[in-house]
Each structure stands twice: as structure tokens, then as C-alpha cells.
Amino acid sequence: MDPLSPNNKYSLAPNENLLSSNKDSLSPNKDNMFPNSLQLNQEPEVKLNVTGTPFREMSVDDIMHSILDNLPKVGNFSSIENSSSGQHSVVNLEQPRAQYCVGDTLSVQVNMKDYRGNPKAHGGDFILARIHSPKLQASASGQVTDLLNGSYRVSFHLFWPGDVLVSVILIHSSEAVGILRRIRAHNYDKLIYTGVFFSGNKMEGSQCGVRLKSDKPLCEYRKKEDAEYYACIPPKTLPCSTLRILRSRNAPISNMTNDEHFLLSRNNTGIPMNNSFGPVKVISCPAGTHRPTEKCMVGFGMKSPLPTGYFFKNRWSSSSCQTGSFFMADAIKRCLKDKMLKFMGDSTVRQWQETLNLTLKGLKYGEPYDRHITALAVDPVMNITFQWKMHGHPFVSGYNMVNDVCGYISRELDRVTIVDVVVIGVGQHFRPFPLEIFIQRLINMRKAILRLQERSPQTLVVIKLENTREFDSEMTHLSDWYGYEQNLAQKKVFGDLKVVLVDAWDITTAANTFGVHPNHIVVSSEISLALSHLCHDA
């Protein structure tokens, strides 16, 4: 089904005006809506030849169903008192023992209660959990199973010996998740965009958006074949093709009560739950535990167990393959000598380049350079090249984003001929919008990755999943619940491809960072994991 069809359950277009033609649109003139002379950022169409490949076509509708239909039902919000409360809920140790062996599974049960202290009778709460040993600088995430009756089982794999602490956090109550899901669906108005149009010395501003409700002609920016779309109200005199800058600001959510806002406030977000037990003693038993002996290789449909790894002495190790020690400059330089890396996406991927630049020290920034949009760094001695570019609209930024410099990742991938590594990371800027917007972007990226791999099968493609972010973020716009949904979508869309999935969500949950730009330890661990799939001699 065409994702732009009004018959699609998860339609991307809420009003008929936006669907007035099947061609690219950049002009408010209804009689000549799509003049070729006004095309902006339009590349030649590249067809995907899927004959004889194992890859199936995906649709927005398919992915939406597979995600939303399999999430637990959430509670309807009636009052704060009837909502799940982290302060009143208790974590109990299942089948407690005096000590455990490395390699064992530790299970705890969360018994959820409301603000009155009454047991909850349904699931749907958003919970994250981890084990950690601060003295050992060790930690790993836990796998949460919703028992759908107000209780949850959290399982932890014990990776190291010592005294191990269990931490369980209620990110959002089931009722808060229900609110978040309601205000995300079909809501395109959480951000207000200002577009700035330039021609010579003349400048004009106008309102823009992912969807604009207007009976009048709009400046529409889209390509039908990839279903990417946004629009602007035409400036007073300048043509649509002169749009150069976009910046955003938050818009209020009109269909929420004060109590609903309070439930999503910092006071009720990310609340630690009380344990009925203390540290768990873990020892190294004679039988030992299996350590992965396989090299980190890239294969079709690679599946990582949960948790995907653990920290020990502040360094991340994979639970499924032998992670190299790519934390020092010498090892990284040996791996990246004579290689070109392209980083595409948001600032959490830009962090990879910045961290590598700080570690390697020999790289020099070249022109053009704009920290928020694009950057090129080269080490002429080791012949290493890094190039980062911000993804195309939508942006969540008060910074002036230069519209015709930022590019859709699918189109940027189609420009790639021969390159050694492509790192892609998207998601944070999509959180304020309906999930189908993000899924459509992922599907376009999937097709472009397949085209790239057909042209350049030796290119390593790395997908960095979303990481957690601050609890004091605007939850209505940027909640980690939205990031969780988007990571589910990424695993669905990219799960059967020959790519490396760096599970930044799992890494940041284990590290307990909760920052949109996590610390050096986390970013270095993400990079080390990716490089372990490129080189095996750290």
C-alpha cells in the first residue's frame, strides 16, 4: 500500500491538498505545480533491482502493525492516584540463593502498585533495569518481561564475580505510556518550523512543517517515490526554490490536562524502585562460563542476544563475539589506516567522529565545516578520512539548519561509490512526530543500503540505534518511550540485512547515562564494537 494513500491506516498525509499531484512539488502555482526549474535537492531516480535477492519489500503499514499490535495494552488515565508509582512498587528476588555463579541467570519480580499502594492489575509500564558493581566499573542491562497482570519479571545474565546490585527504574507508568501514544499518533504539530528564503540580498520568512493544514497552495518539498514530504507557506515574493534555512521551536500540546502533564513531568519520570534485598554475591564456579570465541563478523540477519554485552572496568564487551580493544589510538589507527568513513545522521553519530578526532589527534578538519551540519577530517599520514553530514528534515533545533546542505540519508547513500565504512544513526529528531514518519525514512534507507551493497559489497554498513536521553527532556516531544518504539522499528527494518547493529540503547541503559550525548566511555565503547566487525587484530 502506498504510505501516502488516504486509505492507509497509518497515512502520512492528513489533508487532500498535500496529495494534489504524483510529481515533485516546489511551487505554489496550481496550474504549474511542479516546474522542473524549481527542483531542489532532486537526484536521478535509482531503481532497486531485487531479482534473485532474499530481501522482501516492506511497507509502513507492515512495520506499524508488527510494532504497535504487539505492544501490551496500556491503562487509561483516570487520576494520578490510580497510576503506577515507582515509589510504592517493590522489587523481589526470585528463588534467592546464598550465592550465584558467573554465567547464571538472576531473576527478580516487580510488583507494581499505584500511588495509593494498591496492586496494579494490568501491564504496559515502561521499565528499564540493570545490574552493576561500582567498584569493578561493571554493569549490564536486564531483560524485562511484562506478565500483563501488574507484575514483571526481569532477567539478568551474570557476567562477572563480586557483589552485584540490582536497579530497576520506572521510566513511565502504563497510564503515561497511553498518553504518549495518544499524542504521538497523527500529531504533526508538536514543532513549529520557520523557513528562511534567500535570493541575492533579499530574505523572507515563512511557517513550515512536516504537515501544514491549509486550503491555499503550499510550497511542497517531496519526491513521490520515497514519500518524503514537508511544506512551507509561500513567502511573500520569493519562489519556493529559495528555501535555505529551517529552525524549530516546541509547540504546546493542546489536548492534555494538567494532571496528564504532571504525570509526564520530571517528578514522575525515571523513578527508582525499592528492592526487598541487598547485593547479590556472585562467584566464579569451577564449570566456568562460556565466553564468545567467534570473531565479530557481519552476516545476513545477525541476531544479538539480550543483553548484547556488558561493561567491565568501563570497557564494553559483546556477549556474542570477541570485541577488540579499540580504545587506544595505536589500535584504532592500525584498523583505519587507508580507510574512508562516512558518518550520516544526527549529533549522536557526530560524537563518533569527534571522539575519534580527540583520540587519534592526527586528524585535521577541512572545509566546509559546520559542527551542526557537516564536517570533514583527514589524517594525511595514515590516509584516514572521516566525513560527517547531518540528515535531512525533520530537525529539532533552534540552530539555523541549512536546508540544501543537509541531505536525506537515502540520497546521500546513492552518491557513495567506494567507501570502507558507512555509519548511520537517526531517531532523536523524529521523536516528536508520528512513528510512520520515521518508518518511511527507515524503509528508504533500507532500499538505499541494498543499492549501495550491490555497487560496493565490501562496504561495511553500521547502524547505530538510538540511545536514552535526559529525564528532564520535554517528554511530550522527546520521551525515551518514543525512542524505544523507534528502535523496535529499526530492528524490524534492518534486521535481515548484512549490517552491524550497534545497540546504543542497551549500552546506555547498562551505563545508566540517560543523556542525549553520552559520555566518552559510552561513545568509545560503541566505536570499539563497530571496529571489532571491521578489524580483528586490536
Side-chain angles (χ1 to χ4, degrees):
M1 180 180 291
D2 183 350
L4 285 177
S5 167
N7 296 321
N8 187 346
K9 176 182 176 182
Y10 304 111
S11 174
L12 290 176
N15 71 65
E16 185 176 355
N17 180 63
L18 305 185
L19 301 174
S20 56
S21 174
N22 289 333
K23 299 181 181 179
D24 296 346
S25 175
L26 289 163
S27 168
N29 184 342
K30 283 190 175 180
D31 295 328
N32 185 21
M33 188 71 82
F34 310 101
N36 292 331
S37 61
L38 294 182
Q39 290 186 350
L40 179 66
N41 281 344
Q42 305 296 305
E43 284 75 49
E45 182 180 5
V46 180
K47 294 291 186 181
L48 174 63
N49 181 4
V50 296
T51 304
T53 69
F55 306 109
R56 65 183 182 86
E57 289 290 332
M58 292 185 175
S59 72
V60 173
D61 198 58
D62 290 338
I63 304 302
M64 289 289 288
H65 275 300
S66 67
I67 295 171
L68 299 185
D69 293 353
N70 289 309
L71 289 173
K73 292 183 179 180
V74 295
N76 294 322
F77 178 70
S78 57
S79 68
I80 297 290
E81 289 75 15
N82 292 333
S83 301
S84 302
S85 166
Q87 295 97 326
H88 291 85
S89 302
V90 180
V91 181
N92 298 309
L93 188 61
E94 291 189 338
Q95 299 177 340
R97 290 153 45 183
Q99 60 187 24
Y100 297 79
C101 293
V102 173
D104 286 350
T105 297
L106 176 74
S107 294
V108 302
Q109 183 166 319
V110 179
N111 296 314
M112 196 65 64
K113 298 182 179 181
D114 63 21
Y115 279 77
R116 293 191 177 99
N118 299 318
K120 297 297 292 289
H122 60 78
D125 299 294
F126 182 32
I127 293 170
L128 294 179
R130 71 183 191 124
I131 51 173
H132 54 110
S133 298
K135 291 183 179 180
L136 300 174
Q137 298 173 317
S139 59
S141 71
Q143 187 169 5
V144 180
T145 301
D146 191 337
L147 303 179
L148 305 178
N149 60 2
S151 296
Y152 301 81
R153 176 169 292 110
V154 188
S155 301
F156 303 95
H157 186 89
L158 300 174
F159 288 103
W160 63 87
D163 290 338
V164 174
L165 303 172
V166 173
S167 295
V168 183
I169 299 176
L170 177 63
I171 307 298
H172 292 304
S173 66
S174 172
E175 292 74 18
V177 170
I179 296 168
L180 290 169
R181 291 178 67 175
R182 187 194 82 220
I183 64 175
R184 185 179 208 186
H186 308 297
N187 188 345
Y188 303 93
D189 301 325
K190 290 183 182 178
L191 294 182
I192 297 174
Y193 283 92
T194 300
V196 183
F197 297 75
F198 288 93
S199 180
N201 295 325
K202 192 172 187 178
M203 178 181 71
E204 295 177 349
S206 182
Q207 183 181 348
C208 302
V210 174
R211 298 291 178 268
L212 289 179
K213 298 175 182 178
S214 175
D215 294 329
K216 298 180 180 180
L218 297 170
C219 291
E220 297 181 299
Y221 303 87
R222 71 167 177 176
K223 290 184 71 176
K224 182 181 183 299
E225 62 267 28
D226 62 15
E228 301 282 6
Y229 178 93
Y230 63 97
C232 296
I233 294 173
K236 291 181 179 179
T237 63
L238 293 178
C240 296
S241 60
T242 60
L243 176 63
R244 289 295 175 267
I245 287 174
L246 285 166
R247 56 178 175 265
S248 72
R249 59 184 174 88
N250 287 349
I253 309 297
S254 58
N255 60 340
M256 288 181 63
T257 67
N258 289 335
D259 281 351
E260 288 176 330
H261 277 291
F262 180 69
L263 194 62
L264 292 173
S265 69
R266 177 64 186 94
N267 292 335
N268 296 294
T269 302
I271 305 303
M273 300 189 206
N274 296 316
N275 292 349
S276 64
F277 57 95
V280 173
K281 186 174 183 60
V282 182
I283 63 172
S284 295
C285 298
T289 181
H290 171 73
R291 299 291 183 187
T293 57
E294 301 82 6
K295 300 291 185 181
C296 293
M297 306 296 290
V298 186
F300 291 103
M302 296 293 288
K303 303 295 182 184
S304 296
L306 288 175
T308 61
Y310 63 98
F311 282 102
F312 190 79
K313 295 184 178 179
N314 277 343
R315 294 194 174 183
W316 182 260
S317 293
S318 169
S319 58
S320 59
C321 64
Q322 285 188 338
T323 319
S325 184
F326 294 101
F327 294 92
M328 304 302 290
D330 288 346
I332 297 173
K333 283 185 175 181
R334 285 197 303 271
C335 179
L336 298 183
K337 186 178 186 300
D338 299 322
K339 289 182 173 59
M340 172 179 281
L341 286 75
K342 285 186 176 287
F343 301 92
M344 303 178 182
D346 58 33
S347 57
T348 68
V349 172
R350 184 191 71 212
Q351 271 193 288
W352 282 33
Q353 178 177 7
E354 292 173 341
T355 298
L356 285 167
N357 284 4
L358 288 173
T359 303
L360 301 185
K361 302 185 186 308
L363 288 112
K364 306 295 183 184
Y365 280 107
E367 297 295 338
Y369 174 76
D370 184 322
R371 185 173 183 269
H372 293 87
I373 298 174
T374 184
L376 176 70
V378 177
D379 182 339
V381 176
M382 300 298 292
N383 191 27
I384 300 171
T385 302
F386 297 153
Q387 186 177 42
W388 173 76
K389 194 169 188 179
M390 175 67 187
H391 66 69
H393 186 274
F395 317 112
V396 181
S397 177
Y399 182 80
N400 289 339
M401 303 302 293
V402 182
N403 187 58
D404 52 357
V405 174
C406 301
Y408 290 126
I409 290 176
S410 58
R411 301 178 197 174
E412 293 297 321
L413 286 170
D414 283 338
R415 293 190 181 100
V416 173
T417 53
I418 298 176
V419 68
D420 297 288
V421 183
V422 172
V423 181
I424 300 170
V426 293
Q428 297 284 348
H429 292 258
F430 289 81
R431 290 190 181 190
F433 301 103
L435 181 58
E436 57 265 30
I437 294 283
F438 184 62
I439 291 174
Q440 183 61 63
R441 184 67 57 89
L442 296 181
I443 290 174
N444 293 340
M445 288 162 48
R446 171 189 170 89
K447 293 177 180 178
I449 289 169
L450 288 171
R451 293 192 291 266
L452 169 63
Q453 292 177 333
E454 189 173 307
R455 298 191 310 273
S456 179
Q458 78 279 6
T459 298
L460 177 69
V461 178
V462 178
I463 307 291
K464 177 202 164 291
L465 300 184
E466 279 194 62
N467 48 263
T468 57
R469 64 176 298 143
E470 298 81 2
F471 292 145
D472 56 2
S473 299
E474 191 74 32
M475 290 297 146
T476 55
H477 292 62
L478 299 169
S479 166
D480 271 342
W481 172 257
Y482 297 146
Y484 174 73
E485 287 183 316
Q486 291 180 177
N487 273 345
L488 292 178
Q490 294 199 65
K491 290 178 180 180
K492 291 282 185 182
V493 173
F494 301 124
D496 65 334
L497 300 188
K498 190 177 180 181
V499 299
V500 176
L501 290 179
V502 173
D503 197 335
W505 184 274
D506 193 39
I507 295 173
T508 52
T509 298
N512 199 42
T513 51
F514 293 102
V516 65
H517 297 125
N519 60 39
H520 178 82
I521 293 170
V522 167
V523 179
S524 295
S525 293
E526 294 170 353
I527 293 170
S528 178
L529 178 59
L531 294 185
S532 296
H533 291 80
L534 181 67
C535 307
H536 305 296
D537 56 349

